[in-house]
Amino acid sequence: MHDKPLLKSAGELLRRRHGSSSRAPRTAPEGFALDSATVGAFVAGTLGPEDEATLAGQVAGLLPHHWGLPTKSVEAPTPLVGHLVGRTELMARLDRHPGRPRLTARIYVLLGRLDQYNEDPEVLACVRHARAQDPYSVGLRGHLTPETNDETLDGLAFRIEELLGDSREQDATALALATADWLRGAARNAETTDDHLRETGELMGHLREGIGAAATGSRGSAARATPSGC
C-alpha cells in the first residue's frame, strides 16, 4: 500500500464479525465464487501477471459477499491467504492492482477500523461530542443512527459494504470518504485530546487520502477500458 499506516491497518480488514450488524447480510449472487484452479496456480507461482490481475478483481468482487456466500464458495481463498502469510498480505497484494482491487482493499481497511472503534469508549465519546455540534454531517445524512450507540459506526460499515456488494462503487467510495473525514474531524475536535485520538485522526486522514487516490485510479482504469465512441 502507498502508506505505512494503511499497511499496518490491513491486519484489521477481515476481523469483521459475522453478524456484527443487527441487519441481516444480503444474499450473494448465485455462482459467485473464485476459480480454484486459478488460485492453485497463484499459490504454485505459475500464474501470469494478467491472470493475477483477473484473480485480484475476483477476490475484490467476492469480499462484500463473504458473509452471504455458501461455505464452499469461500473456501477457495483459503490457500491464497495462507500462501500470503495471512489476510494482511492478501490485502496488500490486492492493493498492487489499480482499479477495483485497490479501492476495495483500502475501503476494507476503513471497515476494519470502524469495527474496532465501535468498541472504543474514547472514540465513541468524541463521536458523541461531534454529533452534539452537528448531528448529521455532510455525506452521512440518512446513514447515521439517531443516537450514537454501538450500532452507529457498525451501521456505516454495513452500508459501505452493502454498496460495494451492489457494485455501487462510487456511492460506497463517497460514503467511505465522508466517514473517514467525519471521524478525523471528531478526533481532532474532541473535548479532551490524547495520543490515541491524535493517532485516530491521523489514521483517518491517511485512509481518506488513500481511498480517494484509489478511487481516482479506478475511474481512470474504467475510462481506459471503455472503447472510444461508446
Side-chain angles (χ1 to χ4, degrees):
M1 294 189 180
H2 85 296
D3 200 285
K4 287 183 180 179
L6 291 181
L7 182 58
K8 180 180 178 181
S9 298
E12 306 299 330
L13 289 173
L14 290 182
R15 285 185 65 251
R16 307 191 67 232
R17 300 174 302 280
H18 181 42
S20 62
S21 172
S22 59
R23 307 173 191 178
R26 297 168 63 256
T27 302
E30 186 176 352
F32 207 96
L34 297 183
D35 179 65
S36 57
T38 302
V39 173
F42 175 81
V43 173
T46 59
L47 197 65
E50 186 174 341
D51 287 334
E52 183 177 332
T54 299
L55 177 61
Q58 292 174 347
V59 172
L62 176 70
L63 286 176
H65 301 288
H66 62 108
W67 296 132
L69 287 169
T71 302
K72 289 186 178 180
S73 299
V74 295
E75 286 175 351
T78 302
L80 188 149
V81 173
H83 177 69
L84 293 174
V85 197
R87 294 184 174 110
T88 299
E89 291 303 318
L90 173 62
M91 293 303 159
R93 183 62 68 98
L94 284 183
D95 196 77
R96 297 179 187 178
H97 298 279
R100 188 179 190 182
R102 179 174 294 162
L103 178 61
T104 300
R106 293 183 181 185
I107 286 178
Y108 266 85
V109 173
L110 175 64
L111 300 189
R113 286 294 169 176
L114 292 180
D115 255 7
Q116 277 194 325
Y117 295 152
N118 199 52
E119 300 175 353
D120 188 322
E122 195 171 357
V123 173
L124 290 180
C126 80
V127 167
R128 288 190 182 92
H129 177 71
R131 295 196 71 188
Q133 315 303 314
D134 182 7
Y136 296 98
S137 179
V138 175
L140 300 183
R141 186 175 295 275
H143 301 295
L144 284 169
T145 56
E147 301 293 332
T148 303
N149 53 34
D150 59 2
E151 294 185 2
T152 300
L153 300 182
D154 182 63
L156 289 172
F158 181 93
R159 182 56 178 156
I160 293 168
E161 189 172 52
E162 184 178 50
L163 290 169
L164 283 177
D166 287 338
S167 297
R168 294 170 59 184
E169 291 180 5
Q170 289 189 0
D171 292 333
T173 300
L175 183 54
L177 291 173
T179 298
D181 198 41
W182 175 58
L183 285 177
R184 177 179 60 174
R188 288 179 173 178
N189 300 320
E191 290 183 291
T192 303
T193 303
D194 58 15
D195 288 344
H196 177 52
L197 289 182
R198 277 192 292 271
E199 289 174 1
T200 297
E202 290 173 1
L203 178 58
M204 288 299 108
H206 284 299
L207 290 178
R208 192 189 189 289
E209 179 185 351
I211 292 170
T216 300
S218 181
R219 289 192 292 270
S221 297
R224 289 191 293 273
T226 302
S228 60
C230 292

